[in-house]
Amino acid sequence: MCLKQAFRAHDAVMELKSFSDLCVTLSGNKSRSTNGCAMINPLEFLQFNESNLNGKDLHDVQRELSKSYNDTSLLMRNGRPFWLNFNRMFGKATRKHGSITDAKALQMIYLLRDPRDDDESDKILKWEKAFIDKLGSLFGGVLPFLVLGIGIDDMFIMVDELDRQPRDLSTTGKIKAVMKHSGATVTMTTMTDLVAFAVSTSTSFPAIRYFCVYAALTVTLSFLMVVTFFVALMTYDVRRIKSGRRDFLPFCLAPRPKEGKPAWDEPLPQTSNKVMKYWGTLLTLPITKVLVILFSLSLLGAGIYGVTQVDESFDRRVLARDDSYLRQFLTAQGKYFELSIGVSIVQTGEVDYQLRSTQSDIKELTNVFKENEYYKNQSLSWMDAFSQYAKKSKRNITGPGFLRELKTFLRIPEFSYFTQDVKLSEDETKIEASRVVGYMKDSGSSTFQKNAMLTLREDISKKSKLNAFPITRSFIFF
């Protein structure tokens, strides 16, 4: 049964060391046990107790699940109602006659806090490594071949230059001549690669940044090895040639050249020089010039057209190997679960919440979400819920009694999850900050998320009188 497998996975996570030290808590303080850790876990409707499945058939489990979904006062460990988290836990769930019958996939989300320093970051990385110990390196198999190719290219340039040197030069003279003519070329090719990787380390995407840092270091070390160790090896090779020894069998001497024949170590005409000579002659022909110009213009036109078709979207799956757990997870997540991202419109500063006009302005923020094409017609507004509660219970929430009525409202189990959206001062005499939460439409496209951020900022500046701003985790990358 899927839930029993989920219990085994959950137990494995709970057994990992330091989870309670690194997990997110609603209070913001360090958790004393795993019970205080915020998470979005479907096993919560069973109180994380597998024995609650004993003696129950599928219909009993469905009834328990439907009961939890319909209980608006049931809060989960992340402080939100079960019904609000439902689509993040159960993928492609189906309902019949008001009851939840099945789901295509199950997702458990464990929340780790953002590291405050390097030491805490190392602890989180170690925990994540233990959590997904079978997830291999994304780039480890590619970079060695990349650096090997750059190093071999430099070696070919230097060896080719060595073959061009006259045989009467001394060993030291040959090496000097090689470095004089090819050293600048090798250095420039290395510098262009190094600068490209170094500039790319400024990206905000961690995986690419780590790759570029690693690549820049390895390219630098490869260059140092070529201009030191490989040059030293070339010195020994020049000595071998001068002593008349074979390359593959250096302990065997080469035979003396026949009369009238060049010495075996005499530089031979380069085949590449002959090819380039014929190629240069071909390029100077009138018909060739016309063809080259037409071909260049075609490439220019294709390039201009290609620029207009560039898509800024980014699929994270391209960073993972086909058989990796990361790729499997991202594929399943996109196929079965909502990719909607919660976005908070935060209001801070000195705001008089007692005024009816201020309350209307806060309620108007929900319309900002609804009228934006990138967001769902769904939002969480504590002010909307508070106003509806006051209207039904015939309470006055304007004037001096506002804060008293708000505290009463937040203590009601059905509305207690709004405590996350209202930040009271330590003495609880005023509101320091508040927020309204909206949800993006389902899309994993980075371009979609960027446009959602920019348009929402613009809408708030035009349609709201409040000094509010939108924020969510993905916005920090744009």
Side-chain angles (χ1 to χ4, degrees), residues 334-355:
K335 182 178 180 180
Y336 297 112
F337 296 95
E338 288 188 356
L339 298 178
S340 179
I341 298 175
V343 179
S344 300
I345 298 181
V346 180
Q347 170 64 50
T348 60
E350 296 295 331
V351 179
D352 192 352
Y353 289 89
Q354 300 178 13
L355 298 178

Side-chain angles (χ1 to χ4, degrees), residues 306-354:
V307 169
T308 63
Q309 303 300 312
V310 171
D311 186 5
E312 297 180 22
S313 60
F314 177 71
D315 187 354
R316 291 179 294 170
R317 290 178 297 179
V318 302
L319 295 177
R321 296 198 306 263
D322 292 340
D323 59 344
S324 67
Y325 283 104
L326 176 61
R327 191 179 186 90
Q328 295 176 28
F329 167 75
L330 293 175
T331 301
Q333 188 182 52
K335 182 178 180 180
Y336 297 112
F337 296 95
E338 288 188 356
L339 298 178
S340 179
I341 298 175
V343 179
S344 300
I345 298 181
V346 180
Q347 170 64 50
T348 60
E350 296 295 331
V351 179
D352 192 352
Y353 289 89
Q354 300 178 13

Side-chain angles (χ1 to χ4, degrees), residues 143-184:
L143 190 56
F145 295 101
L146 174 64
V147 177
L148 184 63
I150 295 173
I152 290 178
D153 178 63
D154 294 339
M155 292 163 62
F156 281 156
I157 293 174
M158 297 174 70
V159 170
D160 180 69
E161 186 62 34
L162 179 63
D163 290 340
R164 297 172 185 269
Q165 302 305 313
R167 63 190 301 267
D168 57 343
L169 285 178
S170 65
T171 300
T172 303
K174 280 193 174 185
I175 297 300
K176 285 183 177 180
V178 168
M179 296 307 295
K180 177 181 178 181
H181 294 97
S182 65

Side-chain angles (χ1 to χ4, degrees), residues 23-31 36 113 116:
C23 68
V24 172
T25 61
L26 294 181
S27 65
N29 300 322
K30 183 178 177 180
S31 177
R113 65 174 179 265
R116 299 177 181 177

Side-chain angles (χ1 to χ4, degrees), residues 191-203 209 212-213 215-217:
M191 287 301 298
T192 53
D193 295 327
L194 180 60
V195 169
F197 286 125
V199 171
S200 299
T201 59
S202 61
T203 179
R209 183 169 65 250
C212 292
V213 170
L217 290 174

